[in-house]
Amino acid sequence: MKRSLLVSAAVALLVAPVTTLATPAAAHPDSGPPVQVNQVGYLTDGPKQATVVTQATTPLPWQLRNTAGAVVAQGTTTPRGYDPTSRQNVQTVDFSAFHTPGTGLTLSAGGGTSVPFDVGVNAVYEKLRVDALSFYYPQRSGIPILGSIAPGYARAAGHLGVAPNRGDTDVPCQPGVCDYRLDVRGGWYDAGDQGKYVVDAGISVYQLMSTFERTKLASARPDRLGDGSLRIPEHGDQVPDVLDEARWELEFMLRMQVPAGQPLAGMVHHKVNDRAWTPLPQDPAADPQPRELHPPSTAATLDLAAAAAQGARLFQPYDKAFAARLLAAARTAWTAAVAHPAIYAPATDSVGGGAYDDPDVSDEFYWAAAELYLSTGEHAYQDAVLASKWHTADVFRPDAFGWKFTATAGRLDLATVPSDLPDRARARQSVVDGAKKYLATMRANPYEIAYAPTGGLFDWGSNSLVLNNLVVVATAFDITGDQQYRDGVAAGMDYLLGRNALNQSYVTGFGRRASHNQHSRMYAHQLNSALPSPPPGALAGGPNSWIQDPAASSLQGCAPQLCYLDDINSWSTNEIAVNWNSALSWVASFLADQGEGGPVPAPACSVSYRRLLDFRGLFLAIAAVRNTSGHTLHDWKLRYAYTGTQKVNLAINGTARQTAASVEVTPWQWRLGPGESTTILLAGRVDWGPDAAPAYFSCR
Ligand code: 9MR
């Protein structure tokens, strides 16, 4: 199927009057039972809600049954009336008061019964964290995929210049674009296609690194993301696996930068992809198409600046040389983007690869400035942050953030990564205000979808947009500790795992009715049974009101939630993509850190960390720790992680041990009564960048 032709058709559709989309909904081929639940299940102590499709407008009785058929809970539904996202009359069930772990439960109401689900699913979210993050290894280009690591997914290395491949080790530009060639091997294939696009790389690698960085900023489980945690080859290198995976992509992005001495040096090529679309299936190693570098763009350049700047601070404790390379590339990219602020990738460049066009890069400037500022503390970058219109604008839009709108990424990091930003408190409050809006959106919708786009129509990749709004809600929880935000994330996840009008879990391998025919040239089991389905933890793009592919054309006029088909040919509703799985990874990791969703424990201590001296790369700081737990702490330790390049050499009043950025202080005052305080003096070095106080402390 020639995708280029379809894109023209898509463009025609995009300009078609909205009324064509408002025609009555076609019946969907398969929408399952009328009682819709999270098919994975619910956290034992978390919120538990379901939706019932019914013509009834008055409350109905509901029953929760165990595998033996015995009723274990019951109550009455709440009528919610007409829901525009499904164009159905619905009611909701709240069985949050049920707190007994169990498997194979079913919920009945209005004459229908849900698919079976479990209560007590933290371990499933733990598995989802690992699976969603392990999605990236078999997407890697330029490395053989080993079946011993990714069982069922073994294949030869793709695009290493071995025939019939003609890339990616020595790739020319498109005619007239440049007269040099670049080695742009490595990275991840973007999605179901095998293009590699820097703007999508940028947001994806940012979210993977942010999944890790969050472990320094909030109550989380860094051990669960450590070396050996994922299905990747780089075990035993003492580097957290999620950073190893991120590095695979960062190295590729660095290769896309225009070399010194060439025109537009420091800018970054927008993308490398096949000259023409390849058919499905397509083994990457057998792709015969010539690969081409497309012109540099300001967006790609700023995405590299942002991701590389963030990477610099995160990799410094593990590999100083790599961190230095990242920081240098980020600075060079920033300078080049400032010199060439308006080189836009055109929407028409969609032959053989996606366009990833973006005619407004003011948000990319803001994000890049934010990451450069957070990593370096330098005034020039702070000035760029403060001067950006996005710094005071509402970046928590109904349409969510993503590859095209990145200001939110900048704001989230300015709010959470410690710095001396003058209005940091305002940035933090803005995240909480944004999360409140998303919670209100959820509560207004009987499926609690964390997404109510302008105009009501769902966009391409809507599942990732739901997830990115949940990232904001989760960040508000990390900032405030207020349980309503954590409950919101759990309830928001229900929609993706089956509590929707199609009874569809959009994550392969999770839930009874899970997507497994996503559009992919590698995981094309639907077309050739010798090939695998997508790996577990792969997220489908999800309902797309615009239906840009012929496979889903029977759905034209669909209600937003129903614009989805689990068919490999429906690339506009059912693709996989690196930026969608990064959103899933972030949220799954957050949820896996929440246990069974019980009451948020009060912190055992409060810590005031003050910097006393910063002089020629040396720092002196004081941590005053007060026991706020109400009981005596015995043999306790103070733990925190630096977000910069600090390294403690000496502690007074305790012994400090630092591994990478993580510090564990064994205080001399090993017994600390309720309300008592102790003070620890810390001295060390700062390699480069700011000496920001750590963001999160624990005493256990
Ligand atoms: O995710 C992208 C979506 O936001 C755009 O609307 C769409 C059309 O430009 O492209 C999507 O990205 C696709 C890319 O162009 C090519 N690789 C697959 C991506 C996911 O479908």
Side-chain angles (χ1 to χ4, degrees):
M1 188 51 71
K2 285 276 184 300
R3 195 151 159 184
S4 48
L5 292 179
L6 301 177
V7 168
S8 336
V11 171
L13 247 182
L14 282 168
V15 295
V18 171
T19 45
T20 59
L21 289 158
T23 47
H28 196 277
D30 182 17
S31 54
V35 181
Q36 297 139 350
V37 296
N38 180 331
Q39 294 167 17
V40 161
Y42 300 84
L43 297 173
T44 307
D45 299 312
K48 295 176 196 69
Q49 277 153 86
T51 306
V52 184
V53 180
T54 171
Q55 291 308 316
T57 51
T58 52
L60 301 167
W62 60 261
Q63 302 85 28
L64 181 67
R65 288 192 174 80
N66 63 18
T67 34
V71 173
V72 291
Q74 54 192 318
T76 49
T77 59
T78 304
R80 299 289 295 267
Y82 175 80
D83 163 45
T85 69
S86 61
R87 301 190 195 142
Q88 289 165 331
N89 190 64
V90 296
Q91 304 209 16
T92 51
V93 175
D94 187 340
F95 59 109
S96 305
F98 183 78
H99 292 281
T100 315
T103 56
L105 297 154
T106 53
L107 185 68
S108 303
T113 297
S114 73
V115 301
F117 61 91
D118 299 347
V119 167
V121 293
N122 175 252
V124 188
Y125 283 124
E126 192 57 61
K127 182 176 184 305
L128 182 58
R129 150 154 63 193
V130 172
D131 287 353
L133 286 165
S134 298
F135 164 88
Y136 291 89
Y137 169 59
Q139 282 292 124
R140 287 190 195 180
S141 179
I143 187 175
I145 304 304
L146 304 179
S148 54
I149 296 170
Y153 294 89
R155 59 173 174 83
H159 299 98
L160 275 187
V162 178
N165 276 180
R166 292 193 259 166
D168 291 345
T169 50
D170 188 30
V171 185
C173 282
Q174 289 179 300
V177 168
C178 74
D179 53 16
Y180 52 84
R181 303 168 83 95
L182 290 182
D183 177 352
V184 292
R185 71 181 72 196
W188 306 313
Y189 297 122
D190 185 60
D193 65 320
Q194 288 155 19
K196 302 190 296 192
Y197 314 105
V198 171
V199 293
D200 208 39
I203 194 76
S204 308
V205 80
Y206 154 77
Q207 286 199 299
L208 289 204
M209 290 192 286
S210 170
T211 303
F212 171 74
E213 189 159 40
R214 181 181 166 269
T215 66
K216 301 180 175 192
L217 307 175
S219 171
R221 297 287 308 261
D223 53 311
R224 298 286 171 89
L225 289 168
D227 183 24
S229 58
L230 305 179
R231 294 187 295 275
I232 63 165
E234 294 85 2
H235 287 182
D237 63 358
Q238 314 297 316
V239 179
D241 281 3
V242 54
L243 290 186
D244 281 326
E245 192 56 71
R247 181 171 182 160
W248 188 260
E249 187 74 339
L250 286 167
E251 298 266 16
F252 155 71
M253 293 174 74
L254 292 172
R255 290 170 185 271
M256 292 289 279
Q257 194 162 27
V258 177
Q262 299 292 351
L264 297 177
M267 296 290 283
V268 177
H269 286 276
H270 195 64
K271 57 182 195 150
V272 54
N273 60 246
D274 290 331
R275 187 177 292 164
W277 288 108
T278 54
L280 271 68
Q282 178 66 64
D283 175 9
D287 173 10
Q289 279 289 327
R291 306 275 276 184
E292 290 175 332
L293 288 168
H294 291 240
S297 70
T298 307
T301 305
L302 290 166
D303 272 39
L304 172 73
Q310 179 197 19
R313 65 176 181 263
L314 291 171
F315 278 95
Q316 200 273 350
Y318 304 98
D319 185 338
K320 291 187 171 35
F322 182 55
R325 255 174 77 206
L326 287 171
L327 188 57
R331 289 181 186 281
T332 305
W334 172 265
T335 307
V338 169
H340 306 283
I343 302 184
Y344 304 123
T348 46
D349 190 5
S350 61
V351 178
Y356 284 111
D357 54 303
D358 186 352
D360 181 354
V361 296
S362 57
D363 51 317
E364 280 79 7
F365 268 107
Y366 178 60
W367 178 34
E371 298 299 350
L372 279 158
Y373 167 63
L374 292 169
S375 288
T376 66
E378 289 169 17
H379 278 287
Y381 299 124
Q382 177 180 295
D383 291 347
V385 165
L386 297 177
S388 168
K389 69 173 184 192
W390 292 112
H391 192 51
T392 45
D394 182 2
V395 296
F396 303 103
R397 315 189 303 185
D399 303 270
F401 72 95
W403 65 265
K404 200 171 198 155
F405 182 66
T406 59
T408 316
R411 182 75 64 76
L412 287 170
D413 280 9
L414 289 170
T416 54
V417 179
S419 74
D420 291 332
L421 188 72
D423 57 352
R424 185 165 181 269
R426 196 189 54 75
R428 285 171 82 72
Q429 185 57 42
S430 76
V431 176
V432 178
D433 294 342
K436 279 188 190 138
K437 281 196 311 188
Y438 293 138
L439 280 188
T441 296
M442 289 175 65
R443 285 173 185 149
N445 176 279
Y447 290 89
E448 288 196 83
I449 311 174
Y451 174 61
T454 322
L457 299 176
F458 283 18
D459 204 355
W460 193 318
S462 64
N463 284 342
S464 74
L465 303 171
V466 173
L467 283 161
N468 281 342
N469 286 344
L470 293 179
V471 167
V472 176
V473 178
T475 305
F477 173 73
D478 286 344
I479 289 173
T480 63
D482 183 339
Q483 191 161 342
Q484 65 167 321
Y485 299 111
R486 187 178 72 182
D487 287 353
V489 181
M493 195 69 179
D494 294 344
Y495 166 77
L496 294 161
L497 294 174
R499 186 193 178 194
N500 55 60
L502 292 179
N503 261 280
Q504 184 78 31
S505 164
Y506 291 106
V507 183
T508 310
F510 289 78
R512 299 277 169 141
R513 295 165 50 91
S515 301
H516 54 279
N517 289 322
Q518 290 97 322
H519 178 81
S520 161
R521 281 165 176 71
M522 298 190 288
Y523 313 135
H525 182 78
Q526 193 186 342
L527 301 176
N528 175 352
S529 58
L531 295 171
S533 295
L539 178 73
N544 174 2
S545 295
W546 306 99
I547 301 289
Q548 281 114 322
D549 62 76
S553 61
S554 64
L555 300 179
Q556 287 301 345
C558 42
Q561 276 203 60
L562 269 51
C563 299
Y564 172 79
L565 207 57
D566 186 20
D567 186 301
I568 191 161
N569 292 311
S570 183
W571 38 263
S572 73
T573 79
N574 197 33
E575 193 156 350
I576 49 169
V578 293
N579 61 318
W580 303 341
N581 249 76
S582 62
L584 178 66
S585 298
W586 200 105
V587 173
S589 190
F590 172 87
L591 280 172
D593 284 335
Q594 306 305 323
E596 288 294 345
V600 182
C605 60
S606 75
V607 179
S608 124
Y609 182 105
R610 280 195 303 124
R611 294 167 287 171
L612 301 178
L613 184 75
D614 278 302
F615 183 68
R616 299 199 170 177
L618 299 177
F619 78 83
L620 191 64
I622 189 164
V625 185
R626 203 171 89 84
N627 178 355
T628 53
S629 73
H631 60 264
T632 302
L633 296 172
H634 291 279
D635 290 324
W636 61 286
K637 296 194 194 298
L638 171 70
R639 291 190 179 84
Y640 63 86
Y642 286 113
T643 51
T645 68
Q646 302 98 321
K647 174 92 181 137
V648 175
N649 291 326
L650 179 76
I652 295 175
N653 219 11
T655 329
R657 207 166 56 108
Q658 184 165 347
T659 313
S662 302
V663 180
E664 184 185 274
V665 182
T666 308
W668 293 348
Q669 193 165 338
W670 60 274
R671 192 178 172 283
L672 198 64
E676 275 178 19
S677 297
T678 186
T679 299
I680 294 147
L681 211 58
L682 300 147
R685 284 183 299 108
V686 188
D687 240 21
W688 50 263
D691 174 28
Y696 177 80
F697 299 87
S698 83
C699 301
R700 264 179 290 118

